[in-house]
Amino acid sequence: MIILILNSGSSSVKYQLWDTENGGMKAKGLVSRIGIDGPMLEHYVGGKKYKFTPNEIIDHKKGIELALNALVDSEYGVLENIDSIEAVGHRVVHGGEAFAKSALIDDEVIKAIRECIPLAPLHNPPNLIGIEACKEILKNIPQVAVFDTAFHQTMEPYAYIYAIPYEMYEKYRIRRYGFHGTSHYYVANRAAEMLGQPIEKLKIITAHLGNGASIAAVDGGKSVDTSMGFTPLEGLVMGTRCGDIDPAVVLFIIKQTELSPQETDNLLNKKSGLRGISGVSSDFRDILEAAASGNERAKLARDVYVYRIGKYIGAYIAAMGGADAVVFTAGAGENSPILRKMVLEKLNFFGLEIDDEKNEAAVGVEADISSESAKIKTLVIPTNEELVIAQETERIVGKIL
Ligand code: ADP
């Protein structure tokens, strides 16, 4: 099936064109700075990059049209014409409690995604704009929504309820939702395949360590806990997000400084994390470099980051009553042997032991880096959210065709 995969952000659209029967991803790209100055289209095909800088890209519809034009271009396109596209798969950030699975998009689904806007005011509106734009451009082609939150809908209430008055949950749906679900789902299932065992029998901890970072406890293939919460701000230390914090700190900042709630939100989401502690960068590579050259605050940022990941792994081993494997994925998880070594050092007593040579060699590739005597396996698995979106889209659209 020929599938267009879209990830629409506030001023950008990431796209991939998949042919599920013939080798998977054919082309990908990014339309950025939509509706603002300096718009750009970066298109990748066959290992080559093509860059275009039109004068303006007024809106998402225009942006998606540009991407489609690139996909059918005689020089750098991969399709004869637009009609070859059989389905569109959208990454949608928040499905609230309405979606525990991917869904074929119809008016009801659009309404339900719209109802989740208060839960994800920055993400769901552009996701919807992408869906509406495709409806206009691609007419009756079936579209599927794949939700970041869906995989975590299996959590029990004791894992997702916050200890605040229950009416807050009833009235505003304040609870833990969790994000990066598509990534946690993919790497947990890949881990089971690599271990040659049915996922139903495994307890797996999946650590997605990118700019955003979260960790999940996956018991028998189901997410039973995850570190991101009501929003993607909770949990691990991230590039620019604080992760876990005493909620009273937030109120204290608002009272003690001139910052408005909106500015405080910005401080916690954009100016905190590795960037906030180090004052150097939000990028983990820069932090490692600065720490290695003696920058004390970069060292501190690195240590807080590493410590928090280790603490969560320990917590999730306890939450599941054991673990069979820990999986590292996303930018830092896939590519940083030093990070994995530092995180696991303190966890040796659980039986988490890695082979240094295997760890060093595992950069951006799938690998089992456990030592011979390890009781809990450590795996490195590059994530592939687009593959899951393509598979989900094919599965759902296949049923209706
Ligand atoms: P996003 O969440 O934006 O998709 P990525 O998954 O690409 O992000 O992860 C980006 C993070 O991964 C950055 O902090 C980057 O420094 C880190 N990273 C990428 N490669 C390495 C590496 N070789 N060593 C350490 N960190 C890395």
Side-chain angles (χ1 to χ4, degrees):
M1 186 176 286
I2 307 286
I3 300 171
L4 175 67
I5 296 176
L6 289 183
N7 182 353
S8 308
S10 56
S11 63
S12 69
V13 177
K14 283 190 197 145
Y15 62 91
Q16 289 198 1
L17 198 278
W18 277 63
D19 181 345
T20 56
E21 276 123 66
N22 293 301
M25 204 254 289
K26 296 291 166 198
K28 66 176 180 178
L30 169 68
V31 188
S32 54
R33 303 188 64 82
I34 295 172
I36 46 181
D37 60 328
M40 204 186 322
L41 167 67
E42 290 157 285
H43 180 76
Y44 300 82
V45 60
K48 278 198 190 151
K49 177 178 173 177
Y50 299 84
K51 189 171 161 183
F52 310 91
T53 51
N55 286 334
E56 61 171 14
I57 304 178
I58 320 170
D59 55 17
H60 283 68
K61 187 178 168 205
K62 264 274 165 282
I64 293 170
E65 277 172 355
L66 278 178
L68 289 170
N69 287 343
L71 289 169
V72 297
D73 188 88
S74 56
E75 186 193 341
Y76 43 81
V78 288
L79 291 174
E80 284 280 297
N81 59 55
I82 295 300
D83 299 338
S84 325
I85 298 175
E86 296 167 270
V88 186
H90 293 269
R91 176 186 180 204
V92 179
V93 167
H94 218 308
E97 293 183 322
F99 298 102
K101 290 195 173 100
S102 311
L104 183 68
I105 296 174
D106 58 15
D107 290 346
E108 282 296 297
V109 168
I110 288 179
K111 185 165 163 267
I113 297 173
R114 190 164 290 130
E115 281 166 5
C116 292
I117 287 178
L119 301 174
L122 299 180
H123 294 104
N124 276 27
N127 294 162
L128 279 166
I129 291 171
I131 291 169
E132 295 291 356
C134 285
K135 263 172 73 174
E136 282 180 40
I137 305 165
L138 297 167
K139 308 289 180 223
N140 294 324
I141 289 178
Q143 301 193 57
V144 170
V146 180
F147 300 91
D148 262 29
T149 48
F151 180 54
H152 300 300
Q153 278 295 302
T154 45
M155 282 186 289
E156 294 287 348
Y158 60 71
Y160 70 69
I161 286 290
Y162 291 119
I164 56 176
Y166 195 71
E167 302 81 64
M168 293 290 135
Y169 168 61
E170 290 178 315
K171 196 162 174 202
Y172 302 111
R173 294 287 154 213
I174 297 175
R175 52 160 285 181
R176 175 182 312 286
Y177 290 98
F179 299 86
H180 290 145
T182 313
S183 175
H184 290 295
Y185 167 85
Y186 172 77
V187 297
N189 281 279
R190 241 347 258 147
E193 282 168 20
M194 283 170 74
L195 296 172
Q197 292 183 53
I199 194 159
E200 291 74 22
K201 295 217 166 116
L202 293 170
K203 296 176 192 297
I204 302 172
I205 295 169
T206 50
H208 178 111
L209 310 173
N211 281 316
S214 71
I215 183 159
V218 183
D219 195 345
K222 293 191 170 135
S223 172
V224 294
D225 206 347
T226 190
S227 58
M228 283 180 168
F230 179 58
T231 73
L233 186 56
E234 195 183 347
L236 301 177
V237 175
M238 305 175 219
T240 60
R241 292 177 227 162
C242 61
D244 292 341
I245 191 171
D246 179 346
V249 170
V250 184
L251 304 172
F252 186 86
I253 290 174
I254 292 174
K255 275 193 210 141
Q256 294 294 319
T257 69
E258 300 288 299
L259 296 182
S260 65
Q262 186 54 46
E263 287 163 338
T264 308
D265 185 90
N266 197 44
L267 177 136
L268 299 169
N269 272 294
K270 302 265 170 68
K271 297 182 181 166
S272 297
L274 293 173
R275 178 179 168 195
I277 302 174
S278 70
V280 171
S281 169
S282 62
D283 190 294
F284 190 62
R285 270 168 302 199
D286 298 343
I287 297 294
L288 286 177
E289 240 179 74
S293 57
N295 183 309
E296 289 301 325
R297 273 175 52 193
K299 267 192 215 167
L300 182 61
R302 178 197 66 191
D303 293 347
V304 177
Y305 179 80
V306 166
Y307 178 72
R308 181 91 47 98
I309 300 167
K311 222 160 79 161
Y312 264 99
I313 293 175
Y316 286 172
I317 292 175
M320 292 193 288
D324 298 294
V326 172
V327 182
F328 285 88
T329 192
E334 290 165 21
N335 297 302
S336 179
I338 180 79
L339 168 65
R340 299 188 294 248
K341 191 175 165 65
M342 285 190 296
V343 167
L344 295 176
E345 247 159 17
K346 282 198 191 137
L347 303 174
N348 278 350
F349 80 96
F350 279 124
L352 270 160
E353 285 167 20
I354 52 171
D355 178 306
D356 282 339
E357 259 177 50
K358 288 183 189 162
N359 182 37
E360 287 297 329
V363 176
V365 291
E366 280 189 356
D368 179 343
I369 60 168
S370 329
S371 67
E372 294 284 324
S373 54
K375 292 199 191 74
I376 302 177
K377 298 278 188 192
T378 304
L379 306 174
V380 176
I381 304 179
T383 194
N384 196 343
E385 289 155 290
E386 289 79 13
L387 172 64
V388 177
I389 298 176
Q391 287 171 337
E392 285 289 275
T393 305
E394 183 171 45
R395 181 177 67 79
I396 290 174
V397 172
K399 279 191 207 156
I400 57 160
L401 289 183

